């Protein structure tokens, strides 16, 4: 599970985040659960970075699950038409169940 705090909006923090999650994928991760509860805000760069990682995970045979995304940001995902890149869950247990279910397909 990747817990991100603060803003996911560009600059060195976003670069560090991107490097961290890309390394997880390079190390063999197929599923990543992104806990969004502590993210204050996303900006276009943050959305783009998440879509990029979700695409990498999908190509690796897994996916990206966004945990505890607030209602305002969920609307932004829909308006940006990027929600189809992700699966969404409200609890860690639900996220793990989604990954297990998707793996069994």
């Amino acid at each position: 599970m990747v817990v991100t705090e603060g803003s996911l909006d560009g600059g060195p923090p976003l670069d560090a985040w991107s490097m961290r999650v890309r390394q997880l994928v390079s190390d063999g991760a197929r599923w990543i659960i992104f806990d969004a509860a502590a993210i204050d805000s996303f900006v276009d760069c943050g959305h783009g970075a998440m879509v990029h990682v979700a695409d990498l995970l999908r190509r690796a045979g897994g996916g990206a699950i966004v945990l505890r995304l607030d209602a305002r940001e969920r609307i932004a995902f829909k308006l940006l038409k990027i929600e189809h890149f992700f699966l969404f869950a409200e609890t860690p247990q639900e996220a793990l169940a989604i990954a297990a279910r998707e793996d069994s397909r």
Side-chain angles (χ1 to χ4, degrees), residues 1-67:
M1 182 175 327
V2 174
V3 177
T4 304
E5 297 178 339
S7 298
L8 194 58
D9 59 9
L14 181 60
D15 292 342
W17 180 89
S18 292
M19 286 178 28
R20 178 178 173 215
V21 294
R22 281 190 310 232
Q23 186 62 52
L24 291 171
V25 176
S26 292
D27 289 346
R30 290 183 26 252
W31 288 94
I32 296 179
I33 301 168
F34 295 103
D35 189 345
I39 298 175
D40 297 328
S41 65
F42 292 82
V43 178
D44 294 342
C45 293
H47 289 115
M50 287 193 69
V51 167
H52 176 73
V53 170
D55 187 50
L56 291 175
L57 290 164
R58 187 176 287 171
R59 285 190 269 145
I65 301 171
V66 182
L67 181 64

Side-chain angles (χ1 to χ4, degrees), residues 60-77:
I65 301 171
V66 182
L67 181 64
R68 298 187 280 227
L69 188 67
D70 70 31
R72 176 182 52 97
E73 197 54 48
R74 186 71 184 260
I75 291 169
F77 273 57

Side-chain angles (χ1 to χ4, degrees), residues 1 31 33 65 67 89 91-103:
M1 182 175 327
W31 288 94
I33 301 168
I65 301 171
L67 181 64
T91 66
Q93 296 81 4
E94 181 184 2
L96 292 170
I98 288 169
R101 180 186 73 227
E102 294 294 320
D103 269 345

